[in-house]
Amino acid sequence: MSQYPDAWTALRTRPARLLVTTWPWRSLAYLISTVPVGIVALVVLATVVALGVLTAVIVVGLLLLASVPLLTSVIADAERTRLRLVLPRDSVADDTSAPTLRERVGAWRTLPVSWPEVGHAVLLATVLWVVDAVVLVFAITAPATLILSPVLVQLDTLEVLGWRIDDTAEAWPAVVVGLLAAVVAAYLVTALASAQAGLTRLLLEPTEARLAAAVEQLRRSRTGLVDAFEAERRRIERDLHDGAQQRLVALTMTLGQAELELQDGPALELVGKAHALAEDALAELRATVRGIHPQVLTDHGLAAAIRELADRSPVPVDADLHLDGRLPARVEAAAYFLVSEALTNTARHAGASSVRVHAWVADGSLTVSVEDDGRGGADPVAGTGLAGLAARVEAVDGTLELTSPPGGPTTVRMTCPTT
Amino acid sequence: MSDHLRIVLAEDAALLREGLVGILEKAGHEIVAAVTDADALLVYTDNHRPDLVITDIRMPPTHTDEGLRAAVTIRERHPDMAIMLLSAYIAEAYVADLLDSTAGSHAGIGYLLKDRVGHVRDFLDSVDRVAGGATVVDPDVVRHLLARGRDDGPLAALTDREREVLALMAEGHTNPTIADRLVVSEAAVRKHVGNIFAKLDLEPTSDRRVSAVLTYLRGPS
């Protein structure tokens, strides 16, 4: 395929490059295949309708007529598939969710008639294939005859669209004209195929279905992105742990040994200072790593990580956690950072004397709430931390609620699916 | 330093492993094996019967608690072997497992944060104490445990000095060392300890007082 999503985009954005893409050929294939499909549609529909009308008196005909929507829906399916030749972008018709013929027959009487499908089938059987056939005849035979004229003129005098060619000398300019005509035909074919495909899509793929599919695809790609980010954060954490952190520990050990070796004096003082600095660096690095993706979360999951946060909190935390087993990494991370941010905010602003952290999983959904006994009045707009949290929770299809009336208490609560 | 100890060391991070070997050998101990995972640790422990096992908690293959599980196995197989665990972070679950494994054993056990090994003198001191049968808990861990029960309950009834003594007890220090550290007489320390045990309603048994204190600090969970 080419770098353009469909034939029409290719024609519109870089018309000069169209000829080196596959789109003219795909368009040609589309138009050519329209002809047999259209003829079959015409024969089948005409037969069914004619028989139906003739036998309507003896009820059988009514049944036959009633089967027309079923037939048109089968034709519509075939058309949706054929549409991919020139419009591959909308991989909308989800194959697994499309009903099989058997299901369709079963549901035949209960399904509502899709009038756009009926209309499209009639259009295909009566107009589209005829137009395509006429265009194809001209688009293929005229350039082909002109290009081959030096050979053909040996056999007989040629007349193409009122132009007489008698001998080989006259045939050579005809070759040039033929090549130009082939180029024009390529554009014509692509344009016609695009227009026809656009019409077909309009009738057969309603906008809502396309939007729903696009939303579903976006949701999937967002989940993929969140997962990728989470994996990347864990990788960074491990890199720092195995790399810089280890080297710093080794450095503090070496400096510690040096301190044992040295006599009292300025050298010992300097080494002591260096030791203290190296430990500060190590502590800072640990804090950074915790902010990226804490080890205890990677190793032991949400409950252990929340307990560690609780231990670290300057405000006493009562943690009531009902979390068995591990949750998806993105969910654990979102919940962890929610609790982390909420505890930080509580310590900074709430003037609280205690915090309760609740977390439980029920019916495939995780709920985490952090409630303090502080003065309340937290402004969800003011803190960028909270806005970031909301984005993070939304990215795992979750919801975040903040209630903080003046006078307290402040409650932050997130809910999200665990799959 | 004191006795010459035979030690098996397990640590997957190469720099740290070499650093530890260097420090311990310098202090006159013998490293009979320095391995990189829990399986090798068990094999060498069974074969060499060291005086002390020092192991990182987080090791391959899953990088979670291999070292801790190996320590529990070692405790079952060799109840008299002293064990020191090194951890990169404080995890409550570790403290719980540690306390469970000390129950019914008189061999020493230690739980230190990795950052502590930079304080070479303290680290070597902890090694000696664990090898001598003491329970040694990282001061940071004790601080976290103490910080949990601040406002409510009997801990609030302790004086500042008694809290200091309690923290040092929880770290595994003996009365003489505590007296040394706080620059008071040993008799004064004994008095504080008596008060603490009375206020916290603990049995004043001298030999397992560290786990008694730790169990108390951990509270019901």
Side-chain angles (χ1 to χ4, degrees), chain A residues 21-39:
Chain A
T21 66
T22 56
W23 293 114
W25 299 106
R26 296 170 73 104
S27 302
L28 190 65
Y30 184 68
L31 294 187
I32 290 176
S33 57
T34 304
V35 178
V37 172
I39 292 174

Side-chain angles (χ1 to χ4, degrees), chain A residues 391-410:
Chain A
R392 222 178 156 131
V393 171
E394 275 166 21
V396 293
D397 279 333
T399 52
L400 184 67
E401 286 165 47
L402 171 78
T403 54
S404 186
T410 301

